[in-house]
Amino acid sequence: MKSDVRYIDVAVALPVYKTFTYCVPDDFAPLIATGKRVLVPFGRHRVTGYIFGESHISGQKQIKSVLDVLDEQPLFPPSMVPFFKWIADYYKYPIGEVVKNALPGGLVVRDYALVTVTTAGREALKKGQMTPAAAKILANLPPGGCREKELRKKIDPQIPGALLQTMQVHGWIQRKWELAGARTRARQEPVVRLADSPPPDDGLTGAGKKIMDTLKTGEMRSVKELRAVVPRAAALVKKLEKKGYLIVDTRRVWRDPFGEAIAPDCALALTGEQQKAVDAVCGRLNKGYATFLLQGVTGSGKTEVYLQVAAEVLRTGRTVVVLVPEIALITQMEGRFRARFGECVGVLHSGLSTGERYDQWSRLRQGKATIAIGARSAIFAPVDNPGVIIVDEEHDPSYKQEGKLRYNARDLAVVRAQQNGCIALLGSATPSVQSYYNVTANKFLTLRLEQRIEQRALPPVSIVDLRQNRDARGVRRFISAQLHQAMKQTLARGEQVLLFLNRRGYASFPVCAACGKPVRCKHCDISLTWHQRANVYRCHYCGYSRSAASKCEFCGSSSIKHLGLGTEKVEAAVASLFPTARIARMDHDTTRRKGAIIKLLKGLQNKAIDILVGTQMVAKGHDFPNITLVGIICADLSLSFPDFRAGERTFQLLAQVAGRAGRGDAPGQVILQTYNPEHFSIAAARQQDFDAFYQQEIGFRRALTYPPFSRMVQLKVSGRDFRKTEAHVRQLGDVCRRQKAAAAEPFRSLEIMGPIEASLARIAGRHRWQILLKSTSAGALHRFVDHLLRDHPSLFSSAKVQVAIDVDPVFMM
């Protein structure tokens, strides 16, 4: 940016939908650059803003000035500004909040009102010269004061602002505006070097001489390094610095999120199919935008294709972004990339500490790392000039962010590739219906890997009809005789078993044995799940828990039956069947702690685990060469969801988990237990036949005009008061229908469905409703929502009822 710039375009970190123009004081002009944070006045407050570039207005009055420049270097490149603007427009989200969500946490600075009591206020309180409400406020103010927000929380949320203003006018309180935030900073360490004037030979002790000798190489050494030579180095360095013998400075150090080192490897010999895929992608590098869908059966070597494409991109001087659906998979992918490319790999995901994430972000922004790997948020990696954006397991619903900015990282990968003129490479054994439809519509190019590495066969899948087990008791209800026998044989050969059930906990439906009422969550309309190991009933939506000793809240009985099934119950049942087997469980409960996932994966790799019981975490892209038997305990759980994608998710999950078997030298087998063996999703998963599944599913979608033949926006309305929430959503529904009627022609294809209560009508104490907007025209749908936001802003900014706009919703419940 030019050093004589006078006005800049700034996105403020507040829920406002446009950018604002600010004047740049002459002193700040040389410091201004796109991508830096600035402190700016906004209303009565000072807030963080992000520089989006130069503003070309002229001659306007009353333009406020920038108060401070907060960064030495830009946090994101100028090429990301159009990306942020596209996201804000498409997902109907405030532009400054888009940037705030993209950046590492702890960087936003904002001011707040600090309320303190004055001497006059104390005197007036003693003499009783104020109203009871004012006296209550002064009595509760701590000596050092507190924020207005804390004061309201402590006394009364409804304290009138006019009362505080009156008290300030009387001189009883003082309100000062102070800055808070910006918790995340670069980590610095002290470093030492020799001064120009050496000390006299007899002027040093033995320890001091050791330090001076260590520094004679001329290199700067950290105090930490010197402490390894002389334990009292820190104190000695201070003394030597005072005498002028040493110069102490600071340097930035990077927080290391990786842990242990990775042994390097080299490129593997490719199969004919892999080579064809690599050649096709590399042939399009630096020739503009293209999206490839790499459809490869499980175990076909998609990761090696990613690695060799990435190597070619790096050779051209461009950067690489790699997305994986969950943190559990990042360790495996990051290990493969670090082994091949070394220290140029950076990682971005929510499992990092705030400081680690900031450092990884900075390494990528400064070009010290040229490959960004992470979960969905890594789509915002601040790399300049990306050459390829890889999305592994592109079908996975985890790429959709729920809450706040509701984006889909897979879709944003395609948009960012378009804007940067690069390649988007989407990979999956079970592509999403949306992506495969884009192939048939000639929007995406397709690549296929139809053979496993080393010609390994896909595992045969046997179906067990659980309807035949309905009269069975105990373990036999969910571990059939066929599965039990196959497990025996597999363990006898010294091979590993994977048991899959997509439900955690021990019992998912505890009920009172006396009155038959379920044990329900206090805050959600759902049953609690009993967790045997923790000995508590727990809600998987809001986190509420009750002691296992709790009595029925309806009749007071202490006799609770633990019905239903979860991974904990499966683990306990397997332990009773195979008491000498080494059993591990991989679900959200066992992988919360940092490093737990790595420990589990190492246990599998080192054959320290015989049987792994897991949820969908085990189904996604993991490579377990010694697992030869996969048992799917119940294949029907996701089929019952009230969602038009239920069949698609079921097929993908079953085909993916089946693909964990037989990835090593020994052949594999899969036993799939189900109550619906005739369902087309289950039949297609048994045959690992995506094309058969797609042809049937796309016919249903076409007949019902569901995506990809239409687009959707879901208005999610929630509030703590049922009546106020219902009234609000019905008013919103009426507004939608009036708006459609008033402009019938532009919105002719628009359907308004609802308002209706959500399938889970209450979560975390909030009553939930929804309105679904559907249209065959994406443009008409977005214009309709724009009109709603413009003409009825109060419906979207109520203090009592929250309205969230979910564009292209993935979760309909």
Short mmCIF file of all heavy atoms in Angstrom, two decimals, residues 420-446:
data_model
loop_
_atom_site.label_atom_id
_atom_site.label_comp_id
_atom_site.label_asym_id
_atom_site.label_seq_id
_atom_site.Cartn_x
_atom_site.Cartn_y
_atom_site.Cartn_z
N ASN A 420 -7.97 -17.90 -6.73
CA ASN A 420 -6.52 -17.91 -6.84
C ASN A 420 -6.02 -18.59 -8.11
O ASN A 420 -4.81 -18.73 -8.30
CB ASN A 420 -5.90 -18.59 -5.62
CG ASN A 420 -5.98 -17.73 -4.37
OD1 ASN A 420 -5.09 -16.95 -4.07
ND2 ASN A 420 -7.08 -17.86 -3.63
N GLY A 421 -6.94 -19.01 -8.97
CA GLY A 421 -6.54 -19.64 -10.23
C GLY A 421 -5.72 -20.89 -10.01
O GLY A 421 -4.70 -21.10 -10.68
N CYS A 422 -6.14 -21.75 -9.08
CA CYS A 422 -5.37 -22.95 -8.77
C CYS A 422 -6.27 -24.18 -8.80
O CYS A 422 -7.43 -24.12 -9.21
CB CYS A 422 -4.65 -22.81 -7.43
SG CYS A 422 -5.71 -22.90 -5.96
N ILE A 423 -5.74 -25.31 -8.36
CA ILE A 423 -6.44 -26.59 -8.40
C ILE A 423 -7.10 -26.88 -7.06
O ILE A 423 -6.47 -26.70 -6.02
CB ILE A 423 -5.46 -27.74 -8.74
CG1 ILE A 423 -4.76 -27.49 -10.08
CG2 ILE A 423 -6.18 -29.08 -8.73
CD1 ILE A 423 -5.67 -27.53 -11.27
N ALA A 424 -8.35 -27.33 -7.10
CA ALA A 424 -8.99 -27.94 -5.93
C ALA A 424 -9.05 -29.44 -6.19
O ALA A 424 -9.56 -29.86 -7.23
CB ALA A 424 -10.39 -27.37 -5.71
N LEU A 425 -8.50 -30.23 -5.27
CA LEU A 425 -8.46 -31.68 -5.43
C LEU A 425 -9.27 -32.29 -4.29
O LEU A 425 -8.84 -32.28 -3.14
CB LEU A 425 -7.01 -32.17 -5.41
CG LEU A 425 -6.78 -33.68 -5.52
CD1 LEU A 425 -7.43 -34.26 -6.76
CD2 LEU A 425 -5.29 -33.99 -5.50
N LEU A 426 -10.46 -32.81 -4.61
CA LEU A 426 -11.35 -33.41 -3.61
C LEU A 426 -11.23 -34.93 -3.71
O LEU A 426 -11.36 -35.49 -4.79
CB LEU A 426 -12.80 -33.00 -3.86
CG LEU A 426 -13.09 -31.53 -4.20
CD1 LEU A 426 -14.59 -31.31 -4.40
CD2 LEU A 426 -12.56 -30.60 -3.12
N GLY A 427 -10.97 -35.59 -2.59
CA GLY A 427 -10.77 -37.03 -2.61
C GLY A 427 -11.74 -37.76 -1.71
O GLY A 427 -12.05 -37.29 -0.61
N SER A 428 -12.24 -38.92 -2.14
CA SER A 428 -13.11 -39.74 -1.31
C SER A 428 -13.34 -41.09 -1.98
O SER A 428 -13.35 -41.19 -3.21
CB SER A 428 -14.47 -39.05 -1.09
OG SER A 428 -15.33 -39.87 -0.35
N ALA A 429 -13.55 -42.11 -1.15
CA ALA A 429 -14.01 -43.40 -1.66
C ALA A 429 -15.52 -43.38 -1.86
O ALA A 429 -16.05 -44.16 -2.66
CB ALA A 429 -13.63 -44.51 -0.69
N THR A 430 -16.19 -42.50 -1.14
CA THR A 430 -17.66 -42.41 -1.20
C THR A 430 -18.04 -40.94 -1.37
O THR A 430 -18.43 -40.29 -0.41
CB THR A 430 -18.28 -42.96 0.10
OG1 THR A 430 -17.70 -42.28 1.21
CG2 THR A 430 -18.02 -44.44 0.24
N PRO A 431 -17.89 -40.38 -2.57
CA PRO A 431 -18.12 -38.94 -2.75
C PRO A 431 -19.52 -38.51 -2.33
O PRO A 431 -20.46 -39.30 -2.33
CB PRO A 431 -17.93 -38.75 -4.27
CG PRO A 431 -17.17 -39.93 -4.73
CD PRO A 431 -17.55 -41.05 -3.82
N SER A 432 -19.63 -37.24 -1.98
CA SER A 432 -20.95 -36.69 -1.67
C SER A 432 -21.77 -36.66 -2.96
O SER A 432 -21.24 -36.56 -4.07
CB SER A 432 -20.82 -35.27 -1.11
OG SER A 432 -20.21 -34.42 -2.07
N VAL A 433 -23.08 -36.76 -2.80
CA VAL A 433 -23.98 -36.69 -3.94
C VAL A 433 -23.79 -35.36 -4.67
O VAL A 433 -23.79 -35.29 -5.90
CB VAL A 433 -25.44 -36.88 -3.49
CG1 VAL A 433 -26.42 -36.53 -4.60
CG2 VAL A 433 -25.67 -38.31 -3.01
N GLN A 434 -23.58 -34.29 -3.90
CA GLN A 434 -23.39 -32.96 -4.49
C GLN A 434 -22.17 -32.93 -5.40
O GLN A 434 -22.23 -32.45 -6.53
CB GLN A 434 -23.24 -31.92 -3.38
CG GLN A 434 -23.01 -30.50 -3.87
CD GLN A 434 -24.26 -29.90 -4.49
OE1 GLN A 434 -25.32 -29.87 -3.86
NE2 GLN A 434 -24.16 -29.42 -5.72
N SER A 435 -21.04 -33.45 -4.91
CA SER A 435 -19.80 -33.40 -5.71
C SER A 435 -19.91 -34.29 -6.95
O SER A 435 -19.45 -33.91 -8.03
CB SER A 435 -18.60 -33.83 -4.86
OG SER A 435 -18.34 -32.88 -3.85
N TYR A 436 -20.49 -35.47 -6.80
CA TYR A 436 -20.58 -36.36 -7.97
C TYR A 436 -21.56 -35.79 -8.99
O TYR A 436 -21.36 -35.94 -10.20
CB TYR A 436 -21.01 -37.76 -7.56
CG TYR A 436 -20.70 -38.78 -8.63
CD1 TYR A 436 -19.40 -39.24 -8.82
CD2 TYR A 436 -21.70 -39.26 -9.47
CE1 TYR A 436 -19.10 -40.15 -9.81
CE2 TYR A 436 -21.42 -40.18 -10.47
CZ TYR A 436 -20.11 -40.62 -10.63
OH TYR A 436 -19.81 -41.51 -11.62
N TYR A 437 -22.60 -35.11 -8.52
CA TYR A 437 -23.51 -34.43 -9.45
C TYR A 437 -22.76 -33.35 -10.24
O TYR A 437 -22.99 -33.16 -11.43
CB TYR A 437 -24.67 -33.81 -8.68
CG TYR A 437 -25.63 -33.04 -9.56
CD1 TYR A 437 -26.57 -33.70 -10.34
CD2 TYR A 437 -25.59 -31.65 -9.61
CE1 TYR A 437 -27.44 -33.00 -11.16
CE2 TYR A 437 -26.45 -30.94 -10.42
CZ TYR A 437 -27.39 -31.62 -11.20
OH TYR A 437 -28.25 -30.92 -12.00
N ASN A 438 -21.83 -32.65 -9.57
CA ASN A 438 -21.03 -31.64 -10.28
C ASN A 438 -20.14 -32.27 -11.34
O ASN A 438 -19.81 -31.63 -12.35
CB ASN A 438 -20.18 -30.85 -9.27
CG ASN A 438 -20.99 -29.86 -8.48
OD1 ASN A 438 -22.05 -29.40 -8.94
ND2 ASN A 438 -20.55 -29.52 -7.28
N VAL A 439 -19.73 -33.52 -11.12
CA VAL A 439 -18.99 -34.24 -12.17
C VAL A 439 -19.88 -34.50 -13.37
O VAL A 439 -19.51 -34.25 -14.51
CB VAL A 439 -18.42 -35.57 -11.61
CG1 VAL A 439 -17.90 -36.45 -12.76
CG2 VAL A 439 -17.30 -35.30 -10.61
N THR A 440 -21.10 -35.01 -13.10
CA THR A 440 -22.01 -35.31 -14.20
C THR A 440 -22.46 -34.05 -14.93
O THR A 440 -22.83 -34.10 -16.11
CB THR A 440 -23.26 -36.06 -13.69
OG1 THR A 440 -24.01 -35.21 -12.80
CG2 THR A 440 -22.84 -37.33 -12.96
N ALA A 441 -22.43 -32.89 -14.24
CA ALA A 441 -22.80 -31.62 -14.85
C ALA A 441 -21.60 -30.92 -15.48
O ALA A 441 -21.70 -29.77 -15.91
CB ALA A 441 -23.44 -30.71 -13.81
N ASN A 442 -20.44 -31.61 -15.52
CA ASN A 442 -19.20 -31.09 -16.13
C ASN A 442 -18.64 -29.86 -15.43
O ASN A 442 -17.92 -29.08 -16.03
CB ASN A 442 -19.43 -30.77 -17.62
CG ASN A 442 -19.76 -32.02 -18.42
OD1 ASN A 442 -19.16 -33.07 -18.22
ND2 ASN A 442 -20.74 -31.91 -19.32
N LYS A 443 -18.98 -29.71 -14.14
CA LYS A 443 -18.36 -28.64 -13.36
C LYS A 443 -17.05 -29.11 -12.76
O LYS A 443 -16.13 -28.30 -12.56
CB LYS A 443 -19.31 -28.19 -12.24
CG LYS A 443 -20.57 -27.50 -12.75
CD LYS A 443 -21.46 -27.09 -11.59
CE LYS A 443 -22.72 -26.40 -12.06
NZ LYS A 443 -23.61 -26.01 -10.93
N PHE A 444 -16.95 -30.39 -12.41
CA PHE A 444 -15.73 -30.98 -11.86
C PHE A 444 -15.20 -32.01 -12.86
O PHE A 444 -15.97 -32.61 -13.62
CB PHE A 444 -15.99 -31.69 -10.53
CG PHE A 444 -16.39 -30.80 -9.38
CD1 PHE A 444 -16.75 -31.37 -8.15
CD2 PHE A 444 -16.41 -29.42 -9.49
CE1 PHE A 444 -17.13 -30.58 -7.07
CE2 PHE A 444 -16.79 -28.62 -8.42
CZ PHE A 444 -17.15 -29.20 -7.21
N LEU A 445 -13.88 -32.22 -12.81
CA LEU A 445 -13.24 -33.30 -13.56
C LEU A 445 -13.10 -34.50 -12.64
O LEU A 445 -12.92 -34.35 -11.43
CB LEU A 445 -11.87 -32.85 -14.06
CG LEU A 445 -11.87 -31.59 -14.94
CD1 LEU A 445 -10.45 -31.10 -15.16
CD2 LEU A 445 -12.55 -31.86 -16.27
N THR A 446 -13.17 -35.69 -13.18
CA THR A 446 -13.12 -36.89 -12.34
C THR A 446 -11.88 -37.72 -12.60
O THR A 446 -11.39 -37.81 -13.73
CB THR A 446 -14.39 -37.75 -12.54
OG1 THR A 446 -14.37 -38.83 -11.61
CG2 THR A 446 -14.45 -38.33 -13.96
#
